[in-house]
Amino acid sequence: MSLKIYNTLTANKEIFVPVRPGKVGIYLCGPTVYKPSHIGHAVGPIIFDAVKRYLSYKGFEVTWVVNITDVDDKLIEEAAKQGCTVPELAHRVTENYLAALEQLGVHGIDHMPLASEHIGGIIAMCERLISRNAAYVSGGDVYFDVSADADYGKLSHRKPDEQQSGSRELASGQKRNPGDFALWKAAKPDEPPEVQFDSPWGKGRPGWHIECSVMASHYLGETFDIHGGGMDLIFPHHENEIAQSETCHGVPFAKYWMHNGLTRIGTKKISKSDPEMARRMGELTLGNLLSKYSAELLRFCVLSTQYRRPIEFSDEDLDAKRKGLETFYRLFERIQRITGQDPYASGTDLDQIHSSVNGEVEQAFVLAGLNHRARFLEAMDDDFNTGGAIGVLFELAGCINRFMEEQRLDTRHDARLATLAAAAVQTMRSIAAMLGLFEQRPVRPDASSGLVNQLMEVIIAVRAQARSDKQFALADLIRDRLAALDIRLEDRPEGTHWRQGR
RNA sequence: GGCGGCGUACCCAAGUGGACCAAGGGGACGGAUUGCAAAUCCGUUAUUCAUGGGUUCGAAUCCCAUCGCCGCCUCCA
């Protein structure tokens, strides 16, 4: 099986062949850090984190770069509003963003460069483009001349002269053509000094697109493998990156362009300025969501859908997904009860146990487990179909539960069969790890104190007495009253367990 | 106006020409289990994939048209 990736450039699924054998370079457009990040800013990193994990699993050596744009009109505006410097604002927002990514299990980013740290490279690129007659200086600004790039528009499949010029016309006083875009912007007198950089054209700062071109080639080379971002970046941002990079270096820029679907509210994308949308966006802030839902649930939600499709993060949806996730947590708890071993610690998996298993039922079980893994990998090979892959995970869970049910492992002690079930769980965890799921025991939002534990022991003991005395009305009353406190009791053969939440 | 995408059950969602079945999750309803529950397992819940044509031995999947929704062309992950 070979990996296929949908490439926006060709509008087709293509077999993935890296530029350099064995190595993969990935560049993902990160946020402009001027206000708290929303869930949409985490979607790309979560998806590409899974992409990197999968490529690593397939044996590639992956380098993944996510940029932070920390010099920009919006930052200047927002910093002025807050009465702080641009770097202070950028730093604060970036720190929050990084903390959220950390929580979300996005650990694979190798480099996170700041635009402000690559001013030298940006200026050099501008100069080179000017020397190639692809850019021109105009009143302290530097513009890229779109007419210098014969295949401009190849990513978004559009022709510049057929587009509505719109408000772009207004800001084009210095431009030769409305489609031209700024590589360098001259400083305005009222702008703070920390965003005024020296350049051959006077004080100023980079335009929007060039920092990505510079940083991508700096870390990954002039030609690299995968460039990603939200669908809304296809035009003009990525189109312009291609134009300036390929004109500057004379070689292809990124080989594969992957664009993720956008987060929506209802049927609308989240980034409109009407008040209702703004209010809902506030709810979808990363900080806010992480305070309401577990990071693993958010990650699970993102990956439950194929990355090119739009996603909505409604409470109803998150709730339904959370119930699904519980299936896995319960399976792990059950394995722990049966084997006494921590399923989150590494242990023997089906591969290791495979050859030593005998017995028809046992062998069938091992084979079924390995078959699920094969189907999981097949889904991932098909343009990182994480939604399909998660479906396979659910089926595997059902398969393992069925085995334990049929073998009555909850009540019957059979170390050999229990080990088998535990091995299947290990195999499940090893593939789920490609999605960054089930790496550690879920943290219950309201962890119980020692006193609560002790009180629960007392209550359960009292109820157990009532049950053995057949005072079921009393036993049920206790259970109902606890349920009202969001505490669930589960009477199992070996005793009563309790849990908070569902 | 130009370019692009989407429409699969009550909800979310995979599948994008075939060789057994349109995955899976949530919900609902039955059954096993349980003192009753919870959890788990089993079964039911789309002869059908927005609609109408067409291509094909064969289509949810390709083509055309229609309807509906959305994105980009201006800052946006």
Side-chain angles (χ1 to χ4, degrees):
Chain A
M1 280 302 287
S2 48
L3 171 63
K4 283 195 244 166
I5 298 182
Y6 181 86
N7 189 354
T8 306
L9 194 58
T10 56
N12 257 311
K13 270 188 203 171
E14 299 172 5
I15 292 178
F16 177 71
V17 181
V19 175
R20 284 166 285 273
K23 294 190 196 307
V24 181
I26 304 176
Y27 186 92
L28 174 69
C29 282
T32 299
V33 284
Y34 71 103
K35 64 178 181 186
S37 307
H38 57 73
I39 180 67
H41 294 118
V43 168
I46 289 173
I47 290 161
F48 278 86
D49 191 62
V51 166
K52 179 180 175 181
R53 285 167 191 255
Y54 187 60
L55 288 169
S56 302
Y57 169 82
K58 295 200 72 120
F60 292 105
E61 189 186 309
V62 184
T63 306
W64 179 24
V65 180
V66 180
N67 72 289
I68 296 288
T69 298
D70 63 341
V71 188
D72 166 273
D73 293 344
K74 289 198 166 154
L75 273 138
I76 295 169
E77 215 173 278
E78 186 64 26
K81 206 184 288 176
Q82 295 188 15
C84 65
T85 68
V86 170
E88 278 165 9
L89 172 67
H91 183 75
R92 190 167 66 241
V93 176
T94 303
E95 286 300 302
N96 286 337
Y97 182 59
L98 290 178
L101 292 187
E102 185 62 26
Q103 270 194 74
L104 288 163
V106 177
H107 304 313
I109 301 173
D110 297 293
H111 303 285
M112 217 169 193
L114 306 178
S116 63
E117 291 170 346
H118 286 266
I119 301 296
I122 289 168
I123 290 171
M125 189 167 188
C126 290
E127 288 182 310
R128 189 146 179 211
L129 286 167
I130 292 169
S131 74
R132 294 197 159 204
N133 283 321
Y136 54 91
V137 182
S138 174
D141 295 340
V142 180
Y143 292 99
F144 183 86
D145 180 1
V146 169
S147 67
D149 181 23
D151 54 9
Y152 186 81
K154 67 179 174 184
L155 180 70
S156 56
H157 308 107
R158 60 182 90 189
K159 297 186 173 66
D161 47 321
E162 283 175 6
Q163 301 303 304
Q164 272 182 354
S165 8
S167 54
R168 203 186 232 187
E169 206 72 73
L170 298 172
S172 70
Q174 312 277 22
K175 296 182 191 176
R176 288 184 193 159
N177 295 299
D180 293 350
F181 55 90
L183 300 173
W184 187 263
K185 293 177 171 181
K188 297 185 187 76
D190 57 332
E191 286 173 357
E194 70 265 16
V195 291
Q196 297 192 19
F197 302 91
D198 287 317
S199 83
W201 318 285
K203 298 261 185 196
R205 61 197 155 87
W208 176 33
H209 319 292
I210 195 159
E211 83 279 19
C212 285
S213 283
V214 168
M215 293 188 283
S217 60
H218 179 265
Y219 289 97
L220 303 172
E222 293 177 355
T223 299
F224 62 97
D225 300 287
I226 300 172
H227 192 132
M231 295 253 183
D232 51 352
L233 295 183
I234 294 172
F235 191 93
H237 187 233
H238 289 163
E239 195 68 73
N240 292 351
E241 277 188 57
I242 292 179
Q244 66 204 178
S245 289
E246 298 194 347
T247 305
C248 179
H249 301 127
V251 294
F253 189 41
K255 190 170 179 186
Y256 303 92
W257 288 83
M258 290 174 59
H259 290 101
N260 60 270
L262 302 175
T263 305
R264 303 188 311 191
I265 295 175
T267 59
K268 297 259 195 294
K269 170 192 169 184
I270 54 161
S271 71
K272 294 291 176 190
S273 45
D274 72 85
E276 173 61 10
M277 195 58 84
R279 191 184 64 76
R280 290 301 314 275
M281 268 182 79
E283 292 171 6
L284 291 175
T285 268
L286 280 175
N288 195 14
L289 281 170
L290 282 166
S291 69
K292 277 170 76 183
Y293 302 100
S294 78
E296 184 156 60
L297 174 59
L298 294 175
R299 188 177 178 107
F300 182 75
C301 265
V302 169
L303 296 174
S304 288
T305 303
Q306 213 282 341
Y307 74 88
R308 281 187 284 127
R309 300 179 57 111
I311 334 176
E312 185 176 2
F313 290 86
S314 64
D315 288 337
E316 300 72 41
D317 227 57
L318 257 356
D319 245 36
K321 292 283 178 8
R322 198 205 54 239
K323 287 176 183 162
L325 246 194
E326 292 285 341
T327 300
F328 297 101
Y329 297 155
R330 288 213 168 91
L331 169 62
F332 299 147
E333 287 169 13
R334 191 178 186 185
I335 283 290
Q336 174 137 32
R337 276 198 306 277
I338 289 172
T339 64
Q341 284 163 12
D342 179 6
Y344 293 95
S346 61
T348 310
D349 65 14
L350 291 178
D351 289 316
Q352 293 162 284
I353 217 171
H354 186 21
S355 54
S356 61
V357 168
N358 35 47
E360 206 174 304
V361 176
E362 292 86 338
Q363 282 177 343
F365 177 66
V366 172
L367 247 42
L370 293 174
N371 184 258
H372 279 89
R373 178 175 63 190
R375 290 207 293 130
F376 179 97
L377 297 175
E378 227 172 89
M380 291 300 283
D381 259 346
D382 184 10
D383 195 25
F384 307 102
N385 182 4
T386 54
I390 284 176
V392 176
L393 247 28
F394 273 108
E395 288 181 51
L396 217 205
C399 178
I400 298 169
N401 271 322
R402 196 175 313 121
F403 180 74
M404 293 193 284
E405 203 70 18
E406 283 165 356
Q407 301 303 134
R408 303 181 178 284
L409 293 184
D410 291 301
T411 49
R412 191 165 71 94
H413 291 289
D414 186 323
R416 203 174 48 89
L417 294 180
T419 303
L420 216 52
V425 164
Q426 282 304 324
T427 294
M428 171 191 269
R429 284 191 61 243
S430 76
I431 54 178
M434 296 176 209
L435 304 179
L437 296 174
F438 315 137
E439 298 204 298
Q440 52 199 15
R441 191 178 297 278
V443 191
R444 297 276 162 193
D446 18 4
S448 312
S449 68
L451 181 61
V452 171
N453 276 313
Q454 289 170 323
L455 288 172
M456 283 307 299
E457 273 176 39
V458 171
I459 293 167
I460 286 170
V462 169
R463 179 167 169 275
Q465 187 60 50
R467 288 179 71 210
S468 69
D469 292 345
K470 304 242 182 289
Q471 289 182 275
F472 295 122
L474 177 58
D476 292 349
L477 176 67
I478 292 171
R479 188 170 59 198
D480 292 346
R481 291 294 299 267
L482 288 173
L485 302 176
D486 210 24
I487 292 171
R488 293 289 182 98
L489 295 186
E490 299 177 3
D491 295 325
R492 302 184 171 285
E494 73 281 2
T496 298
H497 288 250
W498 66 278
R499 72 169 76 240
Q500 217 164 354
R502 289 127 295 248

